[in-house]
Amino acid sequence: MSGLVIRSFSAGDEDAVVALWRRCDLLRSWIGPHDEIKIKVKHDADMLLVGTIDGSIVATAMVGYDGHRGWINYLAVSPDAQRRGIGRAMMTEAERRLLALGCPKVNLQVRATNAAVVRFYSALGYTEDHVISLGKRLRPDAD
Ligand SMILES: CC(C)(COP(=O)(O)OP(=O)(O)OC[C@H]1O[C@@H](n2cnc3c(N)ncnc32)[C@H](O)[C@@H]1OP(=O)(O)O)[C@@H](O)C(=O)NCCC(=O)NCCS
């Protein structure tokens, strides 16, 4: 994707990132996107990726490595820039950064109803793991 620059999040990006997540209908967090970003930045800011074209944020990916598996959340490409290879480029960079940390495998979760996103990940070589995703809340996200 020509013109796309992928870099780590920096402080002035926050409002544009939240606006992108809103446009992509990704805002489901209990604590709200601004707190979500604050927590990620405190933990490992360099793994929150933004994709820019001519300086404007058109894509994000929140990448994490837990020492065993890599995780990717908040993959988003601006609706007016989709199907131009940006999502693929963001995933390639996320995988590159995970590999550099020694990560052997990426896991990710897609809402069961989101067939188009499953097709996107399939096109990138992701396959269904046939696991049931379980979760247990230990405390509210916010401190
Ligand atoms: C999923 C998403 C990130 C894909 O980004 P994108 O930049 O449009 O994807 P790409 O152009 O890199 O697509 C790469 C390939 O994936 C497949 N693909 C992408 N979007 C697809 C769709 N809607 N339906 C079917 N296949 C799709 C195609 O094979 C595509 O290659 P092609 O365009 O040459 O046919 C984007 O649609 C998005 O932001 N969606 C809203 C947010 C979201 O649901 N994020 C995922 C959370 S789990």
Side-chain angles (χ1 to χ4, degrees):
M1 170 66 216
S2 76
L4 179 71
V5 174
I6 302 176
R7 58 168 173 78
S8 296
F9 176 90
S10 65
D13 296 333
E14 187 168 324
D15 287 345
V17 165
V18 172
L20 174 62
W21 291 351
R22 182 165 293 115
R23 284 203 303 285
C24 287
D25 193 26
L26 289 182
L27 298 186
R28 299 282 191 287
S29 160
W30 285 42
I31 58 170
H34 292 282
D35 284 338
E36 196 103 62
I37 289 170
K38 274 187 194 72
I39 292 166
K40 181 64 179 174
V41 165
K42 197 170 156 192
H43 189 256
D44 53 354
D46 56 318
M47 296 294 264
L48 178 52
L49 306 183
V50 298
T52 67
I53 294 178
D54 296 332
S56 297
I57 291 176
V58 296
T60 61
M62 187 186 279
V63 187
Y65 179 45
D66 63 14
H68 178 60
R69 296 295 183 239
W71 291 89
I72 296 174
N73 289 289
Y74 286 109
L75 178 70
V77 173
S78 179
D80 55 1
Q82 290 178 5
R83 297 306 287 263
R84 287 160 54 188
I86 296 174
R88 184 189 292 274
M90 296 297 291
M91 288 297 293
T92 299
E93 177 61 12
E95 291 168 9
R96 191 189 69 74
R97 291 190 184 212
L98 287 169
L99 254 183
L101 294 173
C103 172
K105 180 174 184 278
V106 178
N107 286 341
L108 45 84
Q109 296 179 314
V110 177
R111 282 184 204 111
T113 51
N114 205 341
V117 174
V118 172
R119 283 196 292 276
F120 164 77
Y121 284 120
S122 298
L124 271 61
Y126 284 74
T127 55
E128 195 175 343
D129 274 342
H130 298 289
V131 295
I132 298 173
S133 179
L134 302 178
K136 177 182 174 185
R137 181 159 291 278
L138 301 181
R139 63 166 181 81
D141 289 288
D143 288 323

